């Protein structure tokens, strides 16, 4: 039994004063619970999904990228035209797009969306996946390429005249001035758990992203990336993005019934390699450090802190963001606030029943988090949500979790 921390009125010094919410845009109704063989775009579904994000109060949506996926730039442009407020995050692999062209495409998207574009650079965690599009650069050099890529993106957006460059990975003469973003340079996000990822992210990224993991471990990682930023002389530290796969229901007990049903279906889907990119995922131990870290937590325990559940990571071999938050909307909102208290200010939540979950989060979870943060801003004190909905710090909750 894990004893509950004290959730009194004092706001932790590490707490972020605000939080923005991210989802991931899905192109068709195929899910890990109910895979539908398709590589295509169901336009009616996609429109409905994106509209649900706007109506649900999300701030951003991530447009993922893979060798067999739709093009993230084109999808991001569609999101920009289908919404008025949502900020599209383009997932971009440096090996697929020359940096000056990437800068041009991103600035074009930013102009079309009147300043809403964001880019998430994927250095590449799998040699096999990188090789599918002709990238054979060793993993330990891919973040060095990302570092050079970031520098060139920013120069392309801001240099007032032509410039030349001869680096380790890119060379060109007399480029510029480039096509400018709408008003300001576009935020650049990166993620990863390798030493190289932390170094580049701390030194240069506007946003550093993590998968959901135990609270104290995440805080240690935040301290690490911020220490690198300070050592590099930065006065503005990278924002912290953390991702979860919440499973919610009206009560904690019902949420756990759903979670056990879900994980059985997800395990079956992954066992058959029946969903999306699973047929491209190598068997055995993952190459990327983030997945290795997620599996290590899963091996040590299934339930952490208030609501973090790792079995979903275990049954998927930690293929992407896969740790869940399980409970009632109140318990999950309180768990999100625990991470906000540790310093996260961008929270990505995406479900397993993708459209229905996006709608439910917007109705039942986001308002609770925002209500608490509004209370803090108005009063300078913490509200009672975290103290009232203790989740994994109670015997009943842990009993529900164990009733597979």
């Amino acid at each position: 039994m894990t004893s509950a921390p004290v959730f009194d009125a004092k706001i932790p010094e590490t707490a972020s004063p605000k939080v923005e919410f991210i989802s991931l845009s899905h192109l068709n109704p195929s899910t890990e619970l109910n895979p539908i063989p398709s590589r295509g775009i169901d336009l009616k579904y996609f429109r409905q999904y994106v509209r649900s994000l706007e109506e649900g109060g999300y701030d951003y949506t991530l447009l993922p990228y893979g060798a067999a996926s739709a093009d993230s730039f084109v999808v991001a442009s569609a999101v920009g035209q289908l919404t008025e407020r949502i900020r599209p995050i383009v997932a971009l692999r440096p090996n697929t797009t020359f940096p000056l062209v990437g800068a041009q495409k991103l600035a074009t998207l930013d102009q079309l969306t009147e300043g809403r574009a964001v880019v998430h650079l994927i250095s590449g965690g799998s040699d096999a996946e990188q090789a599918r599009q002709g990238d054979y650069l060793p993993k330990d050099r891919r973040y060095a390429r990302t570092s050079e890529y970031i520098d060139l993106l920013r120069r392309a957006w801001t240099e007032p005249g032509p410039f030349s460059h001869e680096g380790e990975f890119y060379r060109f003469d007399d480029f510029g001035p480039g096509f400018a973003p709408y008003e300001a340079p576009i935020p650049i996000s990166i993620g990863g758990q390798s030493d190289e990822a932390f170094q580049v992210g701390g030194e240069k990224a506007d946003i550093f992203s993590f998968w959901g993991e135990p609270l104290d471990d995440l805080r240690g990682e935040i301290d690490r990336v911020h220490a690198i930023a300070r050592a590099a002389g930065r006065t503005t530290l990278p924002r912290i993005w953390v991702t979860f796969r919440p499973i919610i229901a009206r009560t904690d007990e019902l949420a756990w019934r759903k979670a056990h049903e879900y994980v059985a279906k997800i395990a079956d889907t992954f066992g058959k390699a029946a969903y999306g990119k699973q047929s491209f995922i190598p068997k055995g131990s993952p190459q990327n450090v983030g997945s290795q870290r997620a599996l290590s937590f899963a091996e040590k325990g299934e339930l952490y802190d208030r609501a973090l559940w790792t079995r979903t990571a275990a049954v998927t071999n930690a293929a992407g963001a896969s740790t869940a938050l399980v409970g009632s909307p109140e318990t999950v909102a309180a768990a999100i606030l625990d991470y906000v208290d540790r310093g996260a200010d961008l929270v990505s939540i995406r479900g397993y029943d993708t459209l229905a979950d996006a709608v439910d989060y917007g109705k039942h979870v986001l308002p609770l988090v925002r209500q608490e943060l509004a209370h803090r801003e108005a009063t300078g004190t913490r509200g009672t949500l975290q103290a009232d909905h203790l989740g994994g710090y109670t015997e009943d909750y842990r009993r529900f979790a164990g009733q597979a």
Side-chain angles (χ1 to χ4, degrees), residues 17-222:
K18 66 174 184 177
V19 63
E20 293 183 300
F21 285 98
I22 303 169
S23 186
L24 181 147
S25 281
H26 295 271
L27 304 178
N28 58 57
S30 182
T31 71
E32 291 146 289
L33 301 174
N34 183 29
I36 301 171
S38 172
R39 294 179 61 209
I41 297 173
D42 182 327
L43 187 55
K44 181 179 179 181
Y45 177 89
F46 174 64
R47 284 174 172 160
Q48 183 182 8
Y49 190 92
V50 173
R51 186 167 58 249
S52 76
L53 298 182
E54 182 104 309
E55 293 172 351
Y58 294 84
D59 301 286
Y60 303 79
T61 187
L62 173 65
L63 296 316
Y65 185 84
S69 74
D71 181 80
S72 54
F73 274 104
V74 178
V75 179
S77 185
V79 168
Q81 299 310 301
L82 290 170
T83 64
E84 297 293 329
R85 190 182 52 78
I86 296 287
R87 301 190 67 176
I89 305 174
V90 177
L92 170 60
R93 289 181 183 169
N95 63 292
T96 64
T97 307
F98 192 75
L100 303 181
V101 179
Q104 179 186 40
K105 289 157 72 78
L106 288 163
T108 302
L109 175 66
D110 203 49
Q111 291 267 5
L112 286 171
T113 59
E114 297 183 307
R116 286 185 279 154
V118 181
V119 61
H120 180 65
L121 296 178
I122 305 172
S123 299
S126 164
D127 289 343
E129 169 64 10
Q130 296 299 117
R132 290 187 182 98
Q133 292 187 308
D135 182 22
Y136 297 96
L137 193 68
K139 187 174 184 298
D140 63 355
R141 299 304 302 151
R142 292 200 282 263
Y143 276 99
R145 177 175 60 193
T146 296
S147 179
E148 189 173 334
Y149 201 96
I150 291 172
D151 292 341
L152 292 175
L153 286 179
R154 290 188 171 133
R155 290 195 71 185
W157 293 329
T158 59
E159 286 280 356
F163 68 98
S164 300
H165 175 79
E166 184 171 351
E168 181 179 357
F169 304 99
Y170 303 106
R171 175 183 174 184
F172 55 86
D173 294 309
D174 296 326
F175 170 83
F179 190 65
Y182 180 68
E183 287 181 335
I186 294 162
I188 297 172
S189 166
I190 73 167
Q193 291 282 286
S194 66
D195 293 342
E196 294 85 358
F198 275 93
Q199 197 65 39
V200 176
E203 290 178 353
K204 298 184 179 182
D206 299 299
I207 300 165
F208 197 88
S209 69
F210 296 95
W211 293 341
E213 58 181 52
L215 288 164
D216 290 343
D217 295 275
L218 180 67
R219 182 61 223 181
E221 300 293 84
I222 294 172

Side-chain angles (χ1 to χ4, degrees), residues 199-258:
Q199 197 65 39
V200 176
E203 290 178 353
K204 298 184 179 182
D206 299 299
I207 300 165
F208 197 88
S209 69
F210 296 95
W211 293 341
E213 58 181 52
L215 288 164
D216 290 343
D217 295 275
L218 180 67
R219 182 61 223 181
E221 300 293 84
I222 294 172
D223 288 340
R224 181 183 177 190
V225 74
H226 282 174
I228 292 170
R230 292 187 181 97
R234 295 183 59 175
T235 55
T236 301
L237 302 178
R239 298 183 67 184
I240 300 300
W241 166 1
V242 61
T243 298
F244 305 99
R245 309 289 299 273
I247 301 172
I248 67 170
R250 184 170 51 84
T251 67
D252 288 343
E253 183 176 11
L254 292 175
W256 276 110
R257 290 181 189 176
K258 180 190 283 191

Side-chain angles (χ1 to χ4, degrees), residues 36 110 120 167 247 266 277 285 340 360:
I36 301 171
D110 203 49
H120 180 65
I247 301 172
I266 294 164
K277 65 181 181 180
S285 178
V340 173
D360 283 348

